[in-house]
Each structure stands twice: as C-alpha cells, then as structure tokens.
Amino acid sequence: NTDQVKVIMMNVSTNPGGFICLGDSIQLTTNGFVSSYSWSPTVGLSNPSIPNPMASPPNTTLYTVTFTDAFGCVDTDTVTVGVYPTIQPDAGPDAALCIGDSLTLTAGGGVTYNWTTDPTLINGNTATPQVFPTSSQWYYVTVTDANGCVGEDSVFITVNPLPIPEAGNDTAKCGD
C-alpha cells in the first residue's frame, strides 16, 4: 500500500512597488491563484483584503501581503511604496508697482513652471515671466519638480495709480 502526498506550492508574487508624489496613489498587484489576501500595514490602502489595492501612504511604507491558498498554506511577500518629499512651489513675494510699469516674477521650487494664461504676462512657461498688469491681480503658477511632483502657488501684484502732481496755487508777485 502506497500513500501519495501531493505538494502544492504557491507561485505568487507582487509588483516591485515604486515611488509616488505625496497625495498620489499606485496600484499594488499580486500574481497567482490564492484564496485570500491580507495587506499590512493598512494605512493608505483602498482595501487591505484584495489582491490589487490602491496605495497612497503618507510616507515611504513597506507593505507585507500574506497569501493563503485553498489548502491553508500561507506565504508572504513585501513591496515598498516610496513617497517623494513634498514639493515646495514658490511664486515669489507679493509686490507693488505703478500703473504702466512692468515687473519680473520669480518662481522657485521646481524644474518646470507654467503660469496661468494671462494677456498681461509674457513667457509664462519660465520661472521668471514679465508682467504688465493694468490692475491689481493674482498670478498663479504650477511648478513641477525633478520627481514629477506638482504643486501650485500664487503671487498678488498691486497696481498703484500714478501720483497727481500738486504744485500748489498759482501766485503772482509784483516788483520788490
């Protein structure tokens, strides 16, 4: 009489993870035939009990997934989701100018810049556009950093009217 033992090996794996910008998400994926999944920690996961949850952790996180097959066999795998540092877009300081004057704005915090389209702005795809406002207004810039993370900032430009010259009343003087 011969007993046979059938060995079933789970062949499951996860994606390699990746990096995201803070507030974005990445889909974690598993491959293989498994009856249940349990992801931990659960922070930032859309559903810790499915094979392919969306992950948007607040900081770099090592996730562990526990697989259980129909026979009760258990295996685990890990995946890291890295979170890039928060982008710090800067549209520059608020400023004032006299009507008819121009000003160069100076943005920072990224590698590409896209100022909102405005007829009083020239070179809106640079960090240093020239503006010719005719009234006080906000200018908005979208900044993208080297990691592809995007942030926005704004600057308010006050336009002051030209001063009205006042020389005083006309006077006349006769002789000495």
Side-chain angles (χ1 to χ4, degrees):
N1 198 3
T2 306
D3 288 333
Q4 291 184 344
V5 175
K6 188 174 189 178
V7 176
I8 299 174
M9 296 182 67
M10 283 193 283
N11 186 16
V12 290
S13 63
T14 59
N15 66 333
F19 279 84
I20 61 172
C21 300
L22 184 64
D24 288 347
S25 61
I26 186 171
Q27 186 161 29
L28 304 180
T29 59
T30 57
N31 299 309
F33 298 103
V34 177
S35 62
S36 73
Y37 303 85
S38 178
W39 292 87
S40 68
T42 60
V43 64
L45 293 179
S46 61
N47 184 336
S49 302
I50 62 174
N52 303 316
M54 295 299 291
S56 56
N59 48 41
T60 297
T61 302
L62 174 67
Y63 288 104
T64 300
V65 60
T66 302
F67 309 99
T68 305
D69 69 10
F71 302 100
C73 297
V74 176
D75 196 5
T76 62
D77 201 358
T78 59
V79 60
T80 299
V81 175
V83 179
Y84 289 121
T86 303
I87 183 172
Q88 300 294 322
D90 182 12
D94 293 347
L97 52 78
C98 291
I99 193 163
D101 288 345
S102 68
L103 179 71
T104 299
L105 302 179
T106 304
V111 293
T112 63
Y113 303 88
N114 187 14
W115 294 84
T116 52
T117 303
D118 187 289
T120 67
L121 186 136
I122 297 173
N123 293 326
N125 61 350
T126 68
T128 56
Q130 191 80 17
V131 294
F132 300 85
T134 56
S135 62
S136 298
Q137 68 182 66
W138 287 97
Y139 289 95
Y140 301 90
V141 64
T142 301
V143 178
T144 305
D145 70 8
N147 297 316
C149 299
V150 176
E152 296 178 354
D153 196 20
S154 59
V155 60
F156 190 76
I157 304 301
T158 302
V159 177
N160 295 312
L162 292 175
I164 299 172
E166 181 65 43
N169 294 332
D170 291 341
T171 58
K173 184 175 179 184
C174 296
D176 202 16

